[in-house]
Amino acid sequence: MERAGRAVAEAVLRRYPDARRIAAVCGKGANGGDGRIALRVLQEAGREVSEEIAAADVVIDALFGTGFRGEPRDDAARLISGINDADAPVVAVDLPSGVDASTGEVAGAVVDADVTVTLHAPKVGLVVAPGRFHAGEVEVGKIGIDAGLTRHRLVTEEILRLVPSKRAGDTKYGAGSVLVVGGSPGMSGAVCLAAEAAFRADAGYVAVATHAETLPVVEARLLEAVKAPLADVDSLAQRAGAVAVGPGLGRGDDERALVRRLLAELPQPVVVDADALFGLEPANWAGPRVLTPHGGELARLLDRESSWVDAHRLEAVQAAVDRFGCVVVLKGADTLVGAPGEGVLISASGTPALATAGSGDVLTGIVAAFLAKGLEPRLAAAAGAFAHGRAAQLVPHPRGVIASDVVAALPQALP
C-alpha cells in the first residue's frame, strides 16, 4: 500500500507540477488507503492536501478499487458526482470508481478520470468498453508484485512476430492464398478493400469471387487479384488457404444459401463478416470459422439489444463463442477475440480514426491473410486486430482517415 500510494503521488507531482492543493475522495478499503498515503506523500512534498474537493487543483479518486461490482449506492453515487463536477483534473487510483475491473462494465454512477494510475498491471476494465472510456490516460504504477495470471490477456505487438514472413523458396500460394467472396452492386468497394488488405498483410495470392454485375468494376479496381463471378467460387476455393466471405455480398436468399453451403463444405478456415453474418445460425461447419461482428451484428446474432452488447462486451463475446463454437471477434475501440475454452484476447491498438466506412472489410482481409499463412484462428484474429489498429496509428494524418489509408499503412505495421 505504501508503494501504491507513493506511485499515485508521484504521478500527480509529475503530471501537475503547478498544482498546490490536492484533494482525495477515499473509500474504506485498500483503495482508500492508497489515496490517504498519496495525500501524505504529497504533503511531504509541500502540497496542501485535503479530503474536501472544493477549490482543489487536482482530485484523487480513491473511492472504489478492484473489488467493486455492480451499482454504487446513493451515498457513493453522490461522491462520484462531486468528483465529476469538480473544476479540476481527476486522477483515479487503480481504475475509475464505478468501473468493474474484471469486465469494464458500468452499472451506474462512474468517475470520468483524466488519468488512471493502475497498480501492478493493467486491468481488463481499463481496456474494455465502456470502462476504457472513463479511464483517461492510463499509466502503470509498479508496486513490487510479480504479474499474476488472469483469464484474459491484453494483446501486445509481440503477437505480430508469430505471423510468418515470406521466405526464400516460397511460391505465391505458399506465402498465403486468400479467396474473398462478396461485392454486390453498389458494394464493390467492400470486397476490393478486403482483397487489397489481404495483399498488404503479406498474402502471396488473392482471388475475388463477386456478382457478375459487379465484376467489371472489380476488374478495373483490383490489378493484382484474380477475379471471377460467384459461379466459379468452388474452383477458386480449391487453391485458397483461407476464405473471407461477406464483404458487400448481399442478403438475398441466394447469397444466404451460398454462405450456408460454403461454411458447411469448405475445409479451410473462413472469416465470416458483414452480410455473411446476417441470419447466421450455428451448424456443423466443415472447418475453422472466425466470426467478425461489430456490436450491432453481434446483438442480432444473440437476439439481444445493441445497448446490452455495448454494456457487457466480455459477456457478449463469450456468449457468441458458446453459441457458435468458434472464434468470435467483437470489433470496437477494444477488439475482443474469444475462442472455445480460452480466455479473451483484448486488442486496444486502434485509434478513433478506424470509425470509418470500410474499416471492418480491411480487418477481414488481414485476418484471412494471417489464416492463409498458417496461423491458428484465435491468434490470427488477435494478430489481425492488432495489425489493423497499428496501421491506423501509422497513418500520418489523424483527421480524414479512410479505409484505404489503413490498407496503405499495413506493411509498416508488420515486423
Side-chain angles (χ1 to χ4, degrees), residues 290-314:
V290 179
L291 314 185
T292 59
H294 56 59
E297 290 166 334
L298 186 58
R300 286 194 294 272
L301 291 174
L302 296 176
D303 195 24
R304 301 296 296 258
E305 295 294 329
S306 295
S307 58
W308 181 86
V309 172
D310 292 342
H312 305 88
R313 288 176 61 79
L314 275 173

Short mmCIF file of all heavy atoms in Angstrom, two decimals, residues 290-314:
data_model
loop_
_atom_site.label_atom_id
_atom_site.label_comp_id
_atom_site.label_asym_id
_atom_site.label_seq_id
_atom_site.Cartn_x
_atom_site.Cartn_y
_atom_site.Cartn_z
N VAL A 290 -14.11 -18.01 -38.20
CA VAL A 290 -13.85 -16.80 -37.41
C VAL A 290 -14.94 -15.79 -37.74
O VAL A 290 -15.01 -15.29 -38.88
CB VAL A 290 -12.46 -16.19 -37.72
CG1 VAL A 290 -12.25 -14.92 -36.90
CG2 VAL A 290 -11.35 -17.20 -37.43
N LEU A 291 -15.82 -15.50 -36.79
CA LEU A 291 -16.88 -14.51 -36.98
C LEU A 291 -16.36 -13.15 -36.54
O LEU A 291 -15.74 -13.02 -35.48
CB LEU A 291 -18.13 -14.88 -36.17
CG LEU A 291 -18.61 -16.34 -36.22
CD1 LEU A 291 -19.93 -16.47 -35.45
CD2 LEU A 291 -18.75 -16.83 -37.64
N THR A 292 -16.64 -12.10 -37.32
CA THR A 292 -16.11 -10.77 -37.00
C THR A 292 -17.21 -9.71 -36.95
O THR A 292 -17.22 -8.76 -37.74
CB THR A 292 -15.04 -10.35 -38.04
OG1 THR A 292 -15.63 -10.34 -39.35
CG2 THR A 292 -13.86 -11.30 -38.03
N PRO A 293 -18.14 -9.82 -36.02
CA PRO A 293 -19.23 -8.84 -35.96
C PRO A 293 -18.85 -7.57 -35.23
O PRO A 293 -17.98 -7.57 -34.34
CB PRO A 293 -20.30 -9.60 -35.15
CG PRO A 293 -19.48 -10.45 -34.21
CD PRO A 293 -18.30 -10.89 -35.02
N HIS A 294 -19.50 -6.46 -35.58
CA HIS A 294 -19.48 -5.30 -34.70
C HIS A 294 -20.62 -5.47 -33.69
O HIS A 294 -21.35 -6.47 -33.71
CB HIS A 294 -19.59 -3.99 -35.47
CG HIS A 294 -20.77 -3.87 -36.38
ND1 HIS A 294 -22.08 -3.95 -35.93
CD2 HIS A 294 -20.86 -3.65 -37.73
CE1 HIS A 294 -22.91 -3.78 -36.94
NE2 HIS A 294 -22.20 -3.61 -38.05
N GLY A 295 -20.78 -4.51 -32.79
CA GLY A 295 -21.74 -4.66 -31.71
C GLY A 295 -23.15 -4.90 -32.18
O GLY A 295 -23.87 -5.75 -31.62
N GLY A 296 -23.60 -4.18 -33.20
CA GLY A 296 -24.95 -4.35 -33.71
C GLY A 296 -25.17 -5.73 -34.31
O GLY A 296 -26.21 -6.36 -34.11
N GLU A 297 -24.17 -6.21 -35.07
CA GLU A 297 -24.29 -7.53 -35.68
C GLU A 297 -24.29 -8.63 -34.62
O GLU A 297 -25.04 -9.60 -34.71
CB GLU A 297 -23.14 -7.74 -36.66
CG GLU A 297 -23.26 -6.88 -37.91
CD GLU A 297 -21.98 -6.83 -38.71
OE1 GLU A 297 -20.89 -7.01 -38.13
OE2 GLU A 297 -22.07 -6.57 -39.93
N LEU A 298 -23.47 -8.45 -33.58
CA LEU A 298 -23.45 -9.46 -32.52
C LEU A 298 -24.77 -9.47 -31.76
O LEU A 298 -25.27 -10.53 -31.37
CB LEU A 298 -22.29 -9.20 -31.56
CG LEU A 298 -22.08 -10.28 -30.50
CD1 LEU A 298 -21.84 -11.63 -31.15
CD2 LEU A 298 -20.96 -9.92 -29.56
N ALA A 299 -25.35 -8.30 -31.57
CA ALA A 299 -26.65 -8.24 -30.90
C ALA A 299 -27.70 -9.04 -31.67
O ALA A 299 -28.49 -9.78 -31.07
CB ALA A 299 -27.09 -6.78 -30.76
N ARG A 300 -27.70 -8.92 -33.00
CA ARG A 300 -28.65 -9.70 -33.80
C ARG A 300 -28.38 -11.20 -33.69
O ARG A 300 -29.30 -12.01 -33.60
CB ARG A 300 -28.60 -9.26 -35.26
CG ARG A 300 -29.25 -7.90 -35.52
CD ARG A 300 -29.47 -7.66 -37.00
NE ARG A 300 -28.22 -7.54 -37.72
CZ ARG A 300 -27.57 -6.38 -37.88
NH1 ARG A 300 -28.05 -5.27 -37.35
NH2 ARG A 300 -26.44 -6.34 -38.56
N LEU A 301 -27.10 -11.57 -33.68
CA LEU A 301 -26.75 -12.99 -33.58
C LEU A 301 -27.19 -13.59 -32.25
O LEU A 301 -27.51 -14.78 -32.16
CB LEU A 301 -25.24 -13.18 -33.75
CG LEU A 301 -24.68 -12.91 -35.15
CD1 LEU A 301 -23.16 -12.99 -35.13
CD2 LEU A 301 -25.25 -13.88 -36.17
N LEU A 302 -27.19 -12.77 -31.20
CA LEU A 302 -27.56 -13.24 -29.87
C LEU A 302 -29.01 -12.93 -29.51
O LEU A 302 -29.46 -13.26 -28.41
CB LEU A 302 -26.64 -12.61 -28.82
CG LEU A 302 -25.16 -12.98 -28.91
CD1 LEU A 302 -24.36 -12.19 -27.88
CD2 LEU A 302 -24.95 -14.47 -28.73
N ASP A 303 -29.72 -12.26 -30.42
CA ASP A 303 -31.10 -11.83 -30.16
C ASP A 303 -31.17 -10.95 -28.91
O ASP A 303 -32.02 -11.13 -28.04
CB ASP A 303 -32.02 -13.05 -30.01
CG ASP A 303 -33.51 -12.66 -30.09
OD1 ASP A 303 -33.80 -11.61 -30.70
OD2 ASP A 303 -34.35 -13.40 -29.55
N ARG A 304 -30.25 -9.99 -28.84
CA ARG A 304 -30.20 -9.04 -27.74
C ARG A 304 -30.21 -7.63 -28.31
O ARG A 304 -30.07 -7.41 -29.52
CB ARG A 304 -28.93 -9.23 -26.89
CG ARG A 304 -28.76 -10.60 -26.28
CD ARG A 304 -29.84 -10.95 -25.27
NE ARG A 304 -29.84 -10.08 -24.11
CZ ARG A 304 -29.32 -10.42 -22.92
NH1 ARG A 304 -28.77 -11.61 -22.76
NH2 ARG A 304 -29.39 -9.59 -21.89
N GLU A 305 -30.35 -6.64 -27.43
CA GLU A 305 -30.27 -5.24 -27.84
C GLU A 305 -28.80 -4.83 -27.99
O GLU A 305 -27.93 -5.31 -27.24
CB GLU A 305 -30.94 -4.35 -26.81
CG GLU A 305 -32.44 -4.57 -26.68
CD GLU A 305 -33.20 -4.17 -27.93
OE1 GLU A 305 -32.74 -3.23 -28.62
OE2 GLU A 305 -34.24 -4.78 -28.22
N SER A 306 -28.54 -3.92 -28.92
CA SER A 306 -27.17 -3.42 -29.09
C SER A 306 -26.64 -2.78 -27.81
O SER A 306 -25.46 -2.88 -27.49
CB SER A 306 -27.11 -2.42 -30.24
OG SER A 306 -27.40 -3.03 -31.47
N SER A 307 -27.53 -2.11 -27.08
CA SER A 307 -27.11 -1.46 -25.84
C SER A 307 -26.61 -2.47 -24.83
O SER A 307 -25.70 -2.19 -24.05
CB SER A 307 -28.27 -0.64 -25.26
OG SER A 307 -29.40 -1.47 -25.02
N TRP A 308 -27.20 -3.68 -24.84
CA TRP A 308 -26.74 -4.72 -23.92
C TRP A 308 -25.32 -5.17 -24.29
O TRP A 308 -24.47 -5.34 -23.42
CB TRP A 308 -27.69 -5.91 -23.94
CG TRP A 308 -27.25 -7.00 -22.99
CD1 TRP A 308 -27.53 -7.10 -21.66
CD2 TRP A 308 -26.42 -8.12 -23.31
NE1 TRP A 308 -26.92 -8.22 -21.13
CE2 TRP A 308 -26.23 -8.86 -22.11
CE3 TRP A 308 -25.80 -8.57 -24.48
CZ2 TRP A 308 -25.46 -10.03 -22.07
CZ3 TRP A 308 -25.03 -9.72 -24.44
CH2 TRP A 308 -24.88 -10.44 -23.25
N VAL A 309 -25.08 -5.36 -25.57
CA VAL A 309 -23.73 -5.75 -26.01
C VAL A 309 -22.72 -4.68 -25.64
O VAL A 309 -21.63 -4.97 -25.14
CB VAL A 309 -23.72 -6.01 -27.52
CG1 VAL A 309 -22.29 -6.23 -28.03
CG2 VAL A 309 -24.58 -7.22 -27.87
N ASP A 310 -23.07 -3.41 -25.86
CA ASP A 310 -22.15 -2.32 -25.55
C ASP A 310 -21.81 -2.27 -24.06
O ASP A 310 -20.70 -1.91 -23.68
CB ASP A 310 -22.75 -0.98 -25.97
CG ASP A 310 -22.86 -0.85 -27.48
OD1 ASP A 310 -22.18 -1.60 -28.20
OD2 ASP A 310 -23.64 0.01 -27.94
N ALA A 311 -22.77 -2.64 -23.22
CA ALA A 311 -22.56 -2.57 -21.77
C ALA A 311 -21.93 -3.83 -21.20
O ALA A 311 -21.41 -3.80 -20.08
CB ALA A 311 -23.90 -2.32 -21.08
N HIS A 312 -21.95 -4.95 -21.96
CA HIS A 312 -21.45 -6.24 -21.44
C HIS A 312 -20.61 -6.93 -22.52
O HIS A 312 -20.90 -8.05 -22.93
CB HIS A 312 -22.61 -7.14 -21.03
CG HIS A 312 -23.56 -6.53 -20.05
ND1 HIS A 312 -24.64 -5.77 -20.45
CD2 HIS A 312 -23.58 -6.54 -18.70
CE1 HIS A 312 -25.29 -5.36 -19.38
NE2 HIS A 312 -24.67 -5.80 -18.31
N ARG A 313 -19.56 -6.28 -22.96
CA ARG A 313 -18.82 -6.77 -24.13
C ARG A 313 -18.17 -8.13 -23.88
O ARG A 313 -18.22 -9.01 -24.74
CB ARG A 313 -17.80 -5.73 -24.58
CG ARG A 313 -18.45 -4.52 -25.24
CD ARG A 313 -17.45 -3.43 -25.60
NE ARG A 313 -16.43 -3.86 -26.55
CZ ARG A 313 -16.61 -3.97 -27.86
NH1 ARG A 313 -17.80 -3.69 -28.40
NH2 ARG A 313 -15.62 -4.36 -28.64
N LEU A 314 -17.54 -8.31 -22.74
CA LEU A 314 -16.92 -9.60 -22.46
C LEU A 314 -17.96 -10.71 -22.40
O LEU A 314 -17.78 -11.79 -22.98
CB LEU A 314 -16.14 -9.54 -21.15
CG LEU A 314 -14.72 -9.02 -21.22
CD1 LEU A 314 -14.15 -8.87 -19.82
CD2 LEU A 314 -13.83 -9.94 -22.05
#
